[in-house]
Amino acid sequence: QVQLVESGGGLVQPGGSLRLSCAPSGSRFSINTMGWYRQAPGKQRDLVASITSGGSTAYADSVKGRFTISRDNAKNTVYLQMNSLKPEDTSVYYCHVQRTYPIIDYWGKGTLVTVSS
């Protein structure tokens, strides 16, 4: 069965950087969109960044110019490079993978990112 393995979260000072990674485990399958969402306590889960199989990317306005999403198809892995981190970036970050055929959504368990002095 497919599980999404996330890593890279932690504590960082404002202005610092972190890189998140996520890779499905289990059987391989065709993937359309991969992405990252975040959810702070008491808030809804929102899209941070996504990337399609063709390399097209989309970002939340709040992270444009600071975050970069990428994927390595050979390793079946998606990354989120986070630079110039701000306290408001503090959230649990969730990896999301959409299987192409059939369409199935997979979610990681979440990795905590805390931005604080």
Side-chain angles (χ1 to χ4, degrees), residues 68-104:
T68 301
I69 190 170
S70 61
R71 63 193 290 172
D72 185 333
N73 292 330
K75 296 181 179 179
N76 205 29
T77 301
V78 61
Y79 304 92
L80 184 67
Q81 179 66 47
M82 304 184 293
N83 298 325
S84 302
L85 283 162
K86 305 175 181 179
E88 51 262 44
D89 294 319
T90 297
S91 284
V92 176
Y93 285 70
Y94 296 89
C95 179
H96 170 256
V97 170
Q98 185 179 73
R99 180 175 181 171
T100 305
Y101 302 113
I103 297 177
I104 300 175

Side-chain angles (χ1 to χ4, degrees), residues 8-113:
L11 174 65
V12 65
Q13 294 183 326
S17 298
L18 287 173
R19 187 184 70 172
L20 307 182
S21 63
C22 172
S25 63
S27 61
R28 286 186 171 268
F29 51 85
S30 296
I31 297 173
N32 181 14
T33 301
M34 306 181 78
W36 292 92
Y37 290 70
R38 66 187 182 187
Q39 184 173 22
K43 306 294 183 180
Q44 63 180 290
R45 187 175 299 185
D46 294 322
L47 174 69
V48 177
S50 65
I51 184 167
T52 69
S53 59
S56 297
T57 59
Y59 297 92
D61 288 340
S62 59
V63 306
K64 287 182 179 178
R66 300 188 297 119
F67 291 12
T68 301
I69 190 170
S70 61
R71 63 193 290 172
D72 185 333
N73 292 330
K75 296 181 179 179
N76 205 29
T77 301
V78 61
Y79 304 92
L80 184 67
Q81 179 66 47
M82 304 184 293
N83 298 325
S84 302
L85 283 162
K86 305 175 181 179
E88 51 262 44
D89 294 319
T90 297
S91 284
V92 176
Y93 285 70
Y94 296 89
C95 179
H96 170 256
V97 170
Q98 185 179 73
R99 180 175 181 171
T100 305
Y101 302 113
I103 297 177
I104 300 175
D105 293 303
Y106 299 101
W107 292 92
K109 67 182 188 307
T111 183
L112 178 63
V113 171

